[in-house]
Amino acid sequence: MNRPGPVPTVLTYLWLGIAAVVLLFPVLLTVLGGFLPSNALLHQPPQLFDGDWTLENYRAAWRQPVVPLAPAFVNSLFVGLSVMLGHLITSCLAAYALVFMRSPLRRPIFWLFLATIMVPYESIVVPNALFIRSLGINDSRLSLILPFLATGFGVFMLRQAFAQFPRELREAAVIDGCGHLRFLVTILLPASRPALIGIAVWSFLQGWNMYFWPLIISSSNNSLNTLQTAVFALKDNEGGSPAVLLAGITITLVPTLLLVIFGQRWLVRGFTAGAVK
Amino acid sequence: MTAPTLLAASPAARTDRPPGRARRAATPARARETALGLLFALPGLAGLGIFVIFPLFQAIYLATRGNDILGNPTRSVGLAHFQELLTPEFGTVLWQTLVFTVLVVVPGVLLPLALAAPMTQRLPGMRIFRTAFALPFAYSVSAASVVWLIMLNPGISPVNWALGLIGVPAPNWTTEPGWAMATVVGVTVWMVSGFNLLVLAAGLAGVDEEVLEAARMDGATGPRQFVSIVLPMISPSLFFAVVTTTLAALQALGQVQIMTDGGPNGHTRTLVYSIFDNAFHNNNSNFGLASAQGLVLLVIGVLIAVVQFGVLERRVHYR
């Protein structure tokens, strides 16, 4: 669009500026609040730029004994990375079969994958929880990830990406004696990197931010807390100091803030490949 | 070898083969490829089969059962759980779910649009604004809910302070019946806006300059240009934002559970919260009723998808 005149320019900055102050104040409070002594925070409005910054709240949040954050951090990382790997492996293989392997089962299998996208997770959480309990693994980390290793959405997105790969190149590779697995790993995957990174970022966020499932699976076992359930538990137990609570929340936010700042391009491209173009 | 020479080689290689032999070889090769395709799809099919498709049938079974004291489904109760879904209490739950969803989707898409549209102007700093506005997307539900509880905590609240400046007394955000729903809605809008902004900004970046230029020469400016040209051109992104936000709102649990716990007096009780409450809250363990409500959620989700894809998507303009 054209460079606007001075009046629209001022109005644009004014509108965006006001919106930024309102919408980003909670972010500012989260990150700065953790560095402030509690009494600076308990002012109205909180004295965010008080100057007396301290690391004490972070130390207190990390070391507080009620809801230990270190194991929760490990659990969250484990869930995020496992879900990401699981999604990538199952989706790549399935999408490859759907695009490149001639089979009468191709259509029904594709519709089956699509149908699973339609099922809200909350509709099946009860049977899943009972099933995991009946397996006797509800005290292990495995129970945190087992239901989430495959995704219809990932299959769908990767199918779209793989379908754009030129058929002729694929045929040429086969004539050169390239098998399915080798073609997938050495040619197709490198060529589909943007879609893969997009799905990887999305999947990691899915796992990292999961709340409902860890809440019901880890309720009887503190060592299975992820950071997301730990924040909730911390809120109830650390009623005294909001500064410590904010420090704890900032710890849970570090990986996702980095992903949003540096990975947004991939995320949007991967997510909206079908929607935008 | 370059691609064109490979391409030239491929039809030749095919015609060289005697047709009879190729056909005989084709059947076992086909069977092999079918089996291999199934093998490749198997990890995904197994994962989704065990943890999505099978549980659906189990949910139907569970919905007709009552539990013993340990939570094991034992006796059949027929359709009793479904009868409980015909009560006024459950009607209220459905109504509140609908209100919540509509109140989240409309501002949750319009607000990011109102931010992303001015950002398409060639002005310095727009990229920084876009990243900044996307930051709430980094928040998990629990992080966002707890931060907003602190934001609205009467002892600290910058929101109450700002309201005080203009002489408006602040309500009890999470404990007053009229305000609790508005509070949870507001926090959810804040959460979904970040991602929707990224989606809409990406859509707006793809708007064709030449078409806009042509429209400008025809005398279309400002709002007219936005409504008749830009909106249709970004309709795929808009549609995507509406669909994903609807699903996110319909399935919202954490913000309700953390901020109001369904209260006060059930005023923020939504369908998903009700499922959680019946099955897992306070060892309620009413798995049958929760499963029946889960099936209602499934039906609503499918209906919404049918409406959105059947009706709305027809108006989406794909290039």
Side-chain angles (χ1 to χ4, degrees), chain B residues 36 78 121 171 201 248 287-288:
Chain B
L36 208 57
Q121 297 169 94
F287 299 127

Side-chain angles (χ1 to χ4, degrees), chain A residues 1-4 8-9 12-13 15-17 19-20 23-27 29-30 41-46 90 93-94 96-97 100-105 109 112-113 116 118-133 146-147 150-152 168-169 171-172 175-176 180-181 184 205 209 211-212 215-216 228 231-232 235 242 245-246 249 252-253 256-257 260-261 264 267-268 271-272 274-277, chain B residues 3 6-7 10 14 30 33-34 36-38 40-41 43-45 47-48 50-53 55-56 58-59 62 111 114-115 118-124 126 129-143 146-151 154-158 160-161 190 195 198-199 202-203 209 212-213 216 236-237 240 251 253-254 257-258 272 275-276 279-280 287 290-291 294 297-298 301-302 305 318-319:
Chain A
M1 269 178 219
N2 265 2
R3 196 174 281 275
T9 303
T12 300
Y13 280 118
W15 161 233
L16 293 180
L23 290 175
L24 297 180
F25 193 84
V27 181
L29 180 78
T30 320
L41 199 60
L42 287 172
H43 263 269
Q44 206 171 25
T90 56
L93 287 174
Y96 179 84
F100 292 106
M101 288 171 161
R102 272 181 302 169
S103 149
L105 296 174
I109 288 181
L112 204 61
F113 277 122
T116 62
M118 300 283 303
V119 179
Y121 173 67
E122 291 76 8
S123 295
I124 48 173
V125 67
V126 173
N128 274 340
L130 295 183
F131 179 54
I132 291 288
R133 281 180 197 172
L146 207 52
T151 164
E168 299 80 8
L169 286 182
E171 277 162 25
I175 287 162
D176 274 1
H180 284 297
L181 209 54
L184 172 67
L205 283 172
N209 283 342
Y211 179 71
F212 194 176
L215 181 73
I216 59 179
Q228 314 315 332
V231 164
F232 172 57
K235 171 206 142 212
L245 196 48
L246 287 175
I249 290 172
T252 77
L253 279 177
T256 48
L257 276 177
V260 168
I261 293 171
Q264 49 165 290
L267 195 74
V268 169
F271 236 116
T272 59
V276 173
K277 249 197 172 166
Chain B
L6 277 173
L7 297 187
S10 77
R14 239 185 241 151
R30 262 276 164 91
E33 195 152 284
T34 302
L36 208 57
L38 208 56
F40 270 49
L45 282 178
L48 293 169
I50 297 170
F51 292 105
V52 177
I53 298 169
L56 267 183
Q58 223 182 347
L62 282 174
L111 173 69
L115 292 171
M119 276 190 231
T120 54
Q121 297 169 94
R122 278 208 204 104
L123 290 171
M126 291 302 132
F129 270 117
R130 194 181 57 202
T131 303
F133 283 126
L135 290 180
F137 178 52
Y139 282 66
S140 66
V141 266
S142 57
V146 174
V147 166
W148 273 97
L149 278 181
I150 294 176
M151 288 279 296
I156 304 173
S157 179
N160 292 3
W161 173 79
W190 181 78
F195 179 67
L198 288 180
V199 169
E209 293 274 340
L212 287 180
E213 198 54 52
R216 210 170 290 132
S237 312
F240 181 80
Q251 297 175 30
L253 172 75
Q257 184 244 345
I258 293 174
V272 171
I275 294 172
F276 160 77
F280 305 109
F287 299 127
S291 298
L297 177 70
L298 177 74
V302 170
Y318 290 104
R319 265 166 287 163

Side-chain angles (χ1 to χ4, degrees), chain B residues 139-308:
Chain B
Y139 282 66
S140 66
V141 266
S142 57
S145 307
V146 174
V147 166
W148 273 97
L149 278 181
I150 294 176
M151 288 279 296
L152 300 174
N153 173 350
I156 304 173
S157 179
V159 179
N160 292 3
W161 173 79
L163 286 178
L165 283 187
I166 51 172
V168 178
N172 291 316
W173 297 102
T174 55
T175 51
E176 259 174 57
W179 281 102
M181 177 64 93
T183 305
V184 180
V185 163
V187 173
T188 312
V189 169
W190 181 78
M191 286 177 67
V192 298
S193 292
F195 179 67
N196 284 348
L197 181 103
L198 288 180
V199 169
L200 295 173
L204 285 164
V207 168
D208 216 326
E209 293 274 340
E210 286 165 27
V211 179
L212 287 180
E213 198 54 52
R216 210 170 290 132
M217 299 221 280
D218 287 346
T221 49
R224 173 99 174 89
Q225 191 182 26
F226 188 77
V227 172
S228 8
I229 297 162
V230 177
L231 274 189
M233 284 181 99
I234 62 163
S235 54
S237 312
L238 266 177
F239 179 66
F240 181 80
V242 169
V243 171
T244 52
T245 309
T246 309
L247 292 179
L250 195 63
Q251 297 175 30
L253 172 75
Q255 54 272 58
V256 177
Q257 184 244 345
I258 293 174
M259 297 194 76
T260 62
D261 211 10
N265 219 343
H267 273 87
T268 51
R269 200 178 170 88
T270 58
L271 183 48
V272 171
Y273 180 82
S274 194
I275 294 172
F276 160 77
D277 186 42
N278 285 322
F280 305 109
H281 205 199
N282 302 328
N283 290 321
N284 282 350
S285 299
N286 194 344
F287 299 127
L289 183 57
S291 298
Q293 295 183 334
L295 293 173
V296 173
L297 177 70
L298 177 74
V299 171
I300 293 177
V302 170
L303 281 181
I304 290 180
V306 166
V307 169
Q308 288 184 332

